């Protein structure tokens, strides 16, 4: 029994721990950091940065000499010249060779230097690209986060309205019994309660979908218990609206990543032009070669050949009474000298320089230069376009933020008026001076005004975030 009780206690503890783990809510900062860390597109861009670093190593390697070792061994079987006597003999001759060569570019039209500079710029561009994706994801996460907050507050409004109407339904039942209002009004209130329940269900579903959208943006694997903190006090802490659009644009030109990417790509295009022009110039390279070799043979010898068969006699060895025979018999290894001595005696070296002057290459160099110049002009236009787009975006963002602030302030004034009108309508309805249809209209207008305040508030917050974004203020502070 004790063991069962212990199991029950452990089970209750685990359930309690699980429920606590599921009640974790995410802040905006946590959402942005998690999304930036786990986004697949960012990981792919980080791999591009690694590739750019590898390309830089390759560019640096072009300054270093190339060193290659080589070795070969061959067999020549059949009628071969004796390496000692010079006679043709039926033998197997083996040749071995060892060598090494070194080459280095002395001058190559500054192509190696410009290629290294281009590789360095490519690393910078890839890092900017990663940063740009991080900024875009942070902005998207902030938008989705604020959408969840909006839907949460909207659901609260629907629940509060439902609670008010349910109380009003009970109050209407009492008024019907007292004869203060007709029974038809009670049915109107009942229909309103049903409509409020439907609106609340719609608001719950909308909130759930917005949570799922944010969780998917974060690429969470377990998102069924995902929730965010009810932080509704997000304000213009940096007082960004006190700046002019001109000042914000000037700041954006210094800090915006997309402009830095365009400018870096322009510098890369300039290096491409320099690299292609370098092919017009002569190239000078140095080289050094080392080689050595050795050879030895397996000689087949025999007794006096059958002179009637001329195909059996290959030749006579001077100073001997022997003929070299074609038929196989016991081989005798013959060699001019020991193998290792041959490697030592046959060493050879060669070194020098090679100058190559381009004269005519089918217009390939000229065409490459022209193509790189066209790419350079495109990069210049891209920088100008990016500056114009940035200016337009900044002025649009400032105008949108200003308009959102005015809309929010107007919605607050409208809500105050709707609340007073609703309170007045409630008093008239309670004494039978207003029918249920007009009273429900007043309630609906109040609910719409409450929702509009919430919508304009979060719309203003997001517009402020965009404006801060252009001013160089990050979504979250690292």
């Amino acid at each position: 029994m004790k063991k069962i009780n212990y199991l029950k206690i452990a089970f209750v503890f685990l359930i309690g721990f699980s429920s606590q783990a599921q009640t974790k809510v995410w802040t905006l900062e946590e959402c942005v950091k998690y999304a930036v860390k786990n986004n697949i597109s960012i990981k792919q861009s980080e791999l591009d940065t690694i590739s750019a670093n590898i390309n830089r190593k390759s560019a640096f390697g072009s300054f270093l000499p190339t060193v290659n070792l080589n070795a070969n061994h061959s067999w020549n079987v059949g009628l071969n010249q004796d390496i000692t006597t010079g006679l043709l003999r039926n033998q197997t001759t083996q040749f071995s060779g060892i060598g090494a060569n070194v080459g280095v570019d002395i001058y190559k039209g500054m192509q190696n230097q410009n290629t290294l500079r281009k590789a360095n710029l490519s690393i910078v561009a890839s890092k900017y690209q990663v940063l740009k994706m991080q900024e875009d994801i942070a902005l998207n996460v902030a938008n989705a986060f604020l959408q969840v907050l909006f839907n949460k507050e909207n659901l609260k409004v629907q629940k509060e309205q439902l609670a008010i109407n349910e109380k009003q339904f009970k109050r209407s039942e009492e008024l019907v019994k007292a004869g203060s209002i007709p029974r038809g009004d009670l049915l109107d209130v009942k229909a309103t309660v049903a409509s409020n329940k439907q609106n609340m269900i719609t608001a719950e579903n909308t909130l759930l979908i917005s949570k799922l959208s944010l969780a998917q943006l974060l690429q969470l694997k377990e998102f069924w218990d995902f929730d965010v903190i009810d932080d509704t006090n997000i304000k213009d802490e940096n007082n960004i609206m006190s700046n002019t659009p001109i000042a914000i644009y000037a700041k954006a030109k210094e800090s915006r990543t997309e402009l830095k990417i365009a400018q870096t790509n322009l510098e890369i295009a300039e290096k491409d032009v320099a690299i292609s022009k370098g092919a017009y110039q002569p190239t000078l390279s140095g080289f050094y070669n080392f080689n050595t070799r050795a050879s030895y043979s397996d000689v087949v010898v025999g007794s006096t050949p059958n002179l009637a068969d001329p195909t059996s006699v290959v030749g006579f060895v001077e100073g001997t009474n022997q003929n070299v025979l074609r038929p196989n018999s016991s081989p005798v290894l013959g060699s001019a000298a020991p193998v290792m001595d041959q490697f030592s005696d046959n060493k050879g070296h060669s070194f020098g320089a090679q100058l190559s002057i381009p004269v005519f290459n089918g217009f390939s160099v000229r065409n490459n230069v022209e193509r790189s110049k066209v790419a350079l002009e495109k990069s210049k236009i891209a920088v100008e376009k990016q500056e114009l787009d940035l200016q337009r975006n900044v002025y649009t963002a400032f105008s949108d933020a200003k308009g959102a602030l005015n809309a929010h302030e107007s919605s607050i004034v409208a809500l105050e008026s709707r609340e007073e009108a609703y309170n007045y309508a409630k008093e008239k309805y309670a004494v039978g001076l207003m029918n249920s249809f007009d009273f429900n209209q007043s309630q609906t207008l109040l609910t719409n005004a409450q929702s509009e305040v919430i919508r304009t508030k979060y719309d203003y917050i997001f517009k402020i975030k965009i404006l801060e974004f252009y001013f160089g203020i990050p979504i979250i502070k690292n």
Side-chain angles (χ1 to χ4, degrees), residues 139 240-241 245 248 389-405 459-460 462-471:
L139 203 59
I240 190 68
M241 294 301 294
I248 297 174
D389 290 344
L390 181 61
Q391 185 181 39
R392 183 181 66 253
N393 292 337
V394 167
Y395 277 80
T396 301
F398 186 87
S399 177
D400 289 345
K402 188 174 181 180
L405 176 60
D459 182 59
Y460 170 65
F462 184 65
K463 294 299 194 309
I464 287 295
K465 287 296 179 182
I466 294 177
L467 204 57
E468 291 177 346
F469 188 62
Y470 286 120
F471 197 68

Side-chain angles (χ1 to χ4, degrees), residues 57-74:
K57 292 179 182 178
S58 299
F60 180 77
S62 62
F63 290 94
L64 303 177
T66 59
V67 180
N68 295 290
L69 300 176
N70 59 79
N72 62 80
H73 187 85
S74 63

Side-chain angles (χ1 to χ4, degrees), residues 308-326:
D309 183 7
T311 61
S312 65
V313 181
V314 177
F316 293 93
V317 179
E318 292 184 7
T320 69
N321 221 1
Q322 294 180 338
N323 297 296
V324 181
L325 301 181
R326 191 174 300 278

Side-chain angles (χ1 to χ4, degrees), residues 191-207:
T192 301
V193 171
S195 179
N196 288 150
K197 289 181 179 179
Q198 184 178 0
N199 292 338
M200 189 183 71
I201 293 173
T202 301
E204 288 175 344
N205 291 335
T206 304
L207 175 60

Side-chain angles (χ1 to χ4, degrees), residues 9 18 37 47-48 92 243 307 380 401 413 462 472:
I9 294 173
S18 176
K37 182 180 179 181
L47 292 177
D48 292 338
T92 298
N243 295 277
L307 298 179
K380 290 180 180 179
V413 174
F462 184 65

Side-chain angles (χ1 to χ4, degrees), residues 16-33:
F17 178 80
S18 176
S19 63
Q20 289 181 356
Q22 291 179 356
T23 56
K24 168 183 165 47
V25 291
W26 293 61
T27 64
L28 175 59
E29 182 176 1
E30 289 174 334
C31 289
V32 172
K33 286 184 175 180

